Amino acid sequence: MYCLEFTIKPTAAMTFRILPGSILNIATYPFVPPTTLSGYLRRLAMLSAGQELPETRVNNENPPIYALPSKYLSLGAYPKLDAWSGIHRTYRKGMRSFNHDDFSKLYVDGKGEDFQLHTWEYLIVDELVGYVAAESLEGLEHFQDLVGYGCKIGKEGYAYITDISDHPIELELVTTAAHPSTLLPMEALLNSNQFIGGCDIYNLYRYEWENGDRSLPFGDGFLDSEPTPVKGFTPFVCAYFPRPIDPPPRVDYYTNGEIYIPASLVNLLREETHV
């Protein structure tokens, strides 16, 4: 297994909305979910190839999805352990219904009831570290072209890539006790009969692929403007360890001695659900 490490610099506070949730209370994950990082990197790749960023609101019922091809596994991005990060909760005026997307006016058709007061969470962090894994080296060198590019990320926020590991990092599979560098699926903890505190538990989603695209040549579904063959999303539950704990979870990891990626997360995200 190989991986690339991305250093991502936000320019302001960000919101990665937790779903399902109340429309009045917009809560954020304290990290960049795998699917969000995938869509973000796909857009940067399109920008690097001279493509226009896609408009996804042309079909509100079934909007097109632009993500990395399934052979590149987006594992999410996380605040550095030695850096401060926090969630700021505030209030803001926003939409009353999910199908309302006209944010350029205080009132629509003279009706003040179109907007209402929300509680809104923002993730504030100086730097994020993201990971993309792959079973082969094919095409990984082209991710280097994304350094210096930036665009919108999540529901609120903007960030750009400041650095990417010079070479793909080779990882080996070992069973050990270590602080996970990414999310850790709860199923792996339950199957290992470990009851570990010091973690936060979140519901997330992975892509449900319409058809396999692992054999596509590099560029197809990455540098072009074609939507990704995603049919929908499958929920899963993960543990997030924002700080080291003692003892750390003992599971199977892909590691180089510094990065510890749970094998259960890799296996979960590379599952292909053909529908």
Side-chain angles (χ1 to χ4, degrees):
M1 183 65 65
Y2 301 90
C3 86
L4 293 174
E5 186 178 81
F6 297 77
T7 303
I8 303 171
K9 185 78 171 179
T11 61
M14 302 168 292
T15 300
F16 306 103
R17 189 176 183 191
I18 297 177
L19 291 174
S22 167
I23 192 173
L24 286 175
N25 299 292
I26 311 299
T28 185
Y29 294 104
F31 51 81
V32 183
T35 49
T36 303
L37 180 65
S38 180
Y40 170 73
L41 293 177
R42 172 69 191 283
R43 282 162 172 76
L44 297 189
M46 295 172 68
L47 287 174
S48 73
Q51 301 281 350
E52 295 287 337
L53 287 182
E55 174 56 66
T56 57
R57 291 195 300 169
V58 294
N59 183 350
N60 288 331
E61 295 297 324
N62 187 26
I65 293 173
Y66 293 85
L68 296 178
S70 60
K71 59 186 175 183
Y72 305 118
L73 301 177
S74 167
L75 305 177
Y78 309 88
K80 287 187 174 182
L81 290 178
D82 58 351
W84 183 89
S85 68
I87 292 178
H88 174 65
R89 196 177 199 206
T90 186
Y91 298 92
R92 59 182 285 185
K93 186 176 287 189
M95 64 181 183
R96 183 175 292 275
S97 60
F98 281 109
N99 61 0
H100 173 63
D101 59 3
D102 190 349
F103 293 102
S104 62
K105 306 172 184 176
L106 287 177
Y107 302 101
V108 180
D109 297 330
K111 298 178 181 179
E113 66 270 16
D114 288 328
F115 287 82
Q116 60 187 350
L117 191 64
H118 296 258
T119 57
W120 201 290
E121 290 184 351
Y122 292 97
L123 172 63
I124 301 175
V125 60
D126 183 60
E127 211 168 56
L128 296 156
V129 179
Y131 302 96
V132 170
E135 296 177 7
S136 74
L137 292 170
E138 181 186 7
L140 290 181
E141 69 276 8
H142 295 285
F143 279 88
Q144 293 292 337
D145 297 337
L146 306 189
V147 174
Y149 282 91
C151 70
K152 183 178 183 293
I153 184 169
K155 184 172 181 64
E156 293 276 351
Y158 184 97
Y160 62 97
I161 304 291
T162 61
D163 191 33
I164 302 175
S165 47
D166 293 334
H167 305 284
I169 302 167
E170 187 171 3
L171 307 174
E172 63 174 338
L173 183 62
V174 301
T175 302
T176 187
H179 181 272
S181 300
T182 65
L183 298 168
L184 173 59
M186 283 299 298
E187 186 175 0
L189 284 178
L190 296 176
N191 289 341
S192 61
N193 294 318
Q194 296 183 71
F195 299 91
I196 295 178
C199 67
D200 300 322
I201 300 174
Y202 293 97
N203 293 315
L204 291 106
Y205 300 86
R206 66 174 177 85
Y207 291 123
E208 196 174 279
W209 302 100
E210 190 171 276
N211 52 60
D213 62 352
R214 296 178 189 274
S215 61
L216 290 175
F218 180 79
D220 290 0
F222 185 57
L223 299 176
D224 59 27
S225 58
E226 292 300 313
T228 306
V230 171
K231 182 72 173 182
F233 299 87
T234 299
F236 64 96
V237 180
C238 269
Y240 172 56
F241 295 85
R243 59 193 63 85
I245 62 169
D246 187 23
R250 181 178 178 83
V251 295
D252 292 340
Y253 291 98
Y254 286 104
T255 180
N256 66 342
E258 297 180 0
I259 299 170
Y260 290 89
I261 297 173
S264 54
L265 180 64
V266 171
N267 294 335
L268 180 73
L269 296 179
R270 69 180 171 189
E271 286 181 6
E272 293 189 15
T273 305
H274 302 301
V275 292

